[in-house]
Amino acid sequence: MTTEQYKSEMNKQTYIVAGSDMHLHMHEAADNARKIMSRINNEYHTGEEISSLFSELIGQKVENFGLFPPFYTDYGKNISVGKNVFINSGCCFQDQGGIIIGDNALIGQQVVIATLNHDLCPEKRANMLPAPVVIGNNVWIGAHATILPGVTIGDNSVIAAGAVVTKDVPAFAVAAGVPAKIIKTIEE
């Protein structure tokens, strides 16, 4: 299975059966991601070098990009990043299901973005269902927030530190809490 075939199936939210070609591809690709992350996380790099390594990791050239390592992902190739994005240290992206980050997004320290759920049935627990996470333009995600599979965060929104986002957040909203709820609206 190629990366493009895999991403196509993930974008269709195809159910992943443990031991299938998709599952095996996921593990092979994770090995490649670990190699690149090891280079990002275990040596000093200039901003340009980090941008180059991150571009290699996701298979897309990033523009005006900032990252404070360490950074962790278990696939890499299903992350899409807009212009002027900053990702702070310690973030964990589980990106098989797809992560789309809009322009001018700010992602705080140790943010977790998950795009896979395991089957709830104990006999099928190793099987997975992907669902993408979409982060709009000008979104600020505070430190230690967790974004769960299938969530879309609208443009210009803020996710408070420590929030667990289980549902979509509209544009110009501030969401906080566990589970996150809209606590205010941002004036345009």
Side-chain angles (χ1 to χ4, degrees), residues 119-159:
D119 198 307
L120 292 177
C121 176
E123 294 81 26
K124 298 178 183 179
R125 188 69 42 90
N127 298 347
M128 294 167 271
L129 183 62
V133 168
V134 178
I135 299 168
N137 296 322
N138 305 307
V139 169
W140 172 25
I141 301 175
H144 299 274
T146 298
I147 315 300
L148 295 183
V151 167
T152 295
I153 300 172
D155 292 347
N156 305 299
S157 290
V158 175
I159 306 302

Side-chain angles (χ1 to χ4, degrees), residues 3-13 25 29 33 54 56-60 73-81 93-101 113 115-116 130-133:
T3 298
E4 291 310 313
Q5 289 170 323
Y6 180 80
K7 285 171 58 175
S8 175
E9 292 302 314
M10 291 290 104
N11 293 338
K12 292 185 225 174
Q13 298 183 28
H25 173 81
F54 197 84
E56 181 183 349
L57 176 66
I58 69 171
Q60 167 199 343
T73 188
D74 51 6
Y75 187 67
K77 298 295 187 222
N78 213 3
I79 300 171
S80 175
V81 176
F93 289 9
Q94 179 198 51
D95 70 293
Q96 290 95 343
I99 297 173
I100 299 168
I101 302 170
I113 301 175
T115 65
L116 289 176
V133 168

